[in-house]
Amino acid sequence: MNDPLVLLGEVRTALLPNSGGLATREASALLSLLPGQRVLMRERPLALAVSPSSAVGVDCRLATVSRSESRAIGTVAAHAVLVGGRVIQSSACSTVVRAADQNRRPWSHYLNQVGTVELLHRIGDDTTAAVDLTEGFLEGSTATTLDLGSISDRLLTRVRTDPRLDQDPPVRSGATRLRWAARVAPPVDGTARARTLFAFRLEDENTRSVRIMVPTARDLAGVQRFCEDLAVHDWLLSILGAALSEADSEAPERDSSARLSPLLEQLVHLWMPGAHTPPRLRELWTRLESDPGFTRQWTAQVGQLRDGLAVATLAALRSSKISTIQW
């Protein structure tokens, strides 16, 4: 098989719709999506469960900024992830490679390469094609091109509607969408230190985009796991920030503790940047901690949350004393 031109992926992240977090056995049962295949489990430093990957066949165009012919055939690999027994993710990914020729093969050929699509048309040299596909996917995807969002969304819906879940989460929250593309970009100067390049951008309230360039092809193997880890922490920041903003806008007499306390109880302990990122990509977390400063923002938000709960508790006690005196 030819070397990868680019990896394309999307991660959806949401709160598991259940009143409590799932224990190891329950998490394994929920993510046993393919009979006979094992759910990958990890307990330290934070519980992580990953379902087996399923293959979704695709025959479509790939989005490009050059509008070149870009038909691709193959499969998308999709799996579900449960973090801390509480946060659920669906993750879809495919590696784009050049086809050996422009002839379509039997589906058995593509099913032997789960998570790979073969590009039938030539759109420039490898570097040009990689940039074209990266920017096309992140900026110009349409309903007629490879739609990893739909694949990821269907899987997320399947897991979240499982009858074993009681559909009564302690926190009401939405889902976020992180779209990512990764390609190999070796150092121009052979003596230069190999370094992974990275760009993270907030597109709108719920959508983020990530561009990653790694120095060698073997570094691509850990990109999907890093993006899933990044998506969890971005979701935590977004959910906590939205809850605090809503609490600030409420009337002073309203007690917000019933809505804010579950955030402290259920989500705050899940903050562990890089805990499940492969070692070769952990340097990316060092940069995120420097700019924009993920943990600084999280620490400030958690402090604001604790202060808000303390004020609400004092107000409730004061109100209780006044009521007792009046009685």
Side-chain angles (χ1 to χ4, degrees), residues 275-291:
H276 298 306
T277 293
R280 294 180 67 87
L281 293 178
R282 284 181 190 156
E283 65 171 295
L284 297 180
W285 276 111
T286 302
R287 296 182 217 171
L288 284 167
E289 297 293 22
S290 174
D291 182 17

Side-chain angles (χ1 to χ4, degrees), residues 65-234:
V65 292
S66 66
R67 301 185 182 276
S68 302
E69 286 293 328
S70 57
R71 183 186 178 191
I73 307 174
T75 61
V76 173
H79 63 243
V81 180
L82 185 63
V83 180
R86 172 53 72 193
V87 180
I88 188 68
Q89 295 181 296
S90 59
S91 183
C93 173
S94 196
T95 303
V96 182
V97 300
R98 293 192 188 277
D101 53 55
Q102 294 191 21
N103 297 318
R104 177 171 177 166
R105 306 288 186 86
W107 271 112
S108 57
H109 166 78
Y110 302 110
L111 290 173
N112 284 330
Q113 306 174 76
V114 175
T116 299
V117 295
E118 296 186 358
L119 179 64
L120 299 185
H121 300 93
R122 187 167 188 86
I123 53 175
D125 59 31
D126 286 1
T127 300
T128 301
V131 173
D132 200 1
L133 293 167
T134 294
E135 298 307 315
F137 175 71
L138 295 178
E139 302 287 351
S141 294
T142 67
T144 62
T145 58
L146 179 64
D147 188 358
L148 297 183
S150 293
I151 295 172
S152 185
D153 192 45
R154 284 197 300 271
L155 178 58
L156 185 65
T157 300
R158 175 185 173 185
V159 176
R160 296 184 78 191
T161 56
D162 189 287
R164 285 168 288 200
L165 303 175
D166 60 26
Q167 303 300 320
D168 186 27
V171 178
R172 300 297 173 182
S173 61
T176 57
R177 175 187 188 189
L178 186 144
R179 308 177 73 211
W180 60 270
R183 61 186 178 90
V184 176
V188 176
D189 182 352
T191 62
R193 176 180 177 271
R195 193 180 188 203
T196 300
L197 303 178
F198 169 75
F200 173 70
R201 189 169 73 185
L202 302 181
E203 302 291 348
D204 57 40
E205 185 178 348
N206 299 312
T207 306
R208 291 84 173 92
S209 65
V210 173
R211 292 165 173 81
I212 298 178
M213 290 182 286
V214 296
T216 67
R218 67 172 179 165
D219 294 307
L220 290 173
V223 171
Q224 185 177 19
R225 181 84 283 278
F226 163 74
C227 289
E228 291 164 357
D229 197 15
L230 173 60
V232 167
H233 290 83
D234 172 74

Side-chain angles (χ1 to χ4, degrees), residues 42-58:
R42 181 176 178 179
E43 290 297 323
R44 303 288 186 273
L46 180 67
L48 180 75
V50 182
S51 79
S53 290
S54 58
V56 180
V58 293

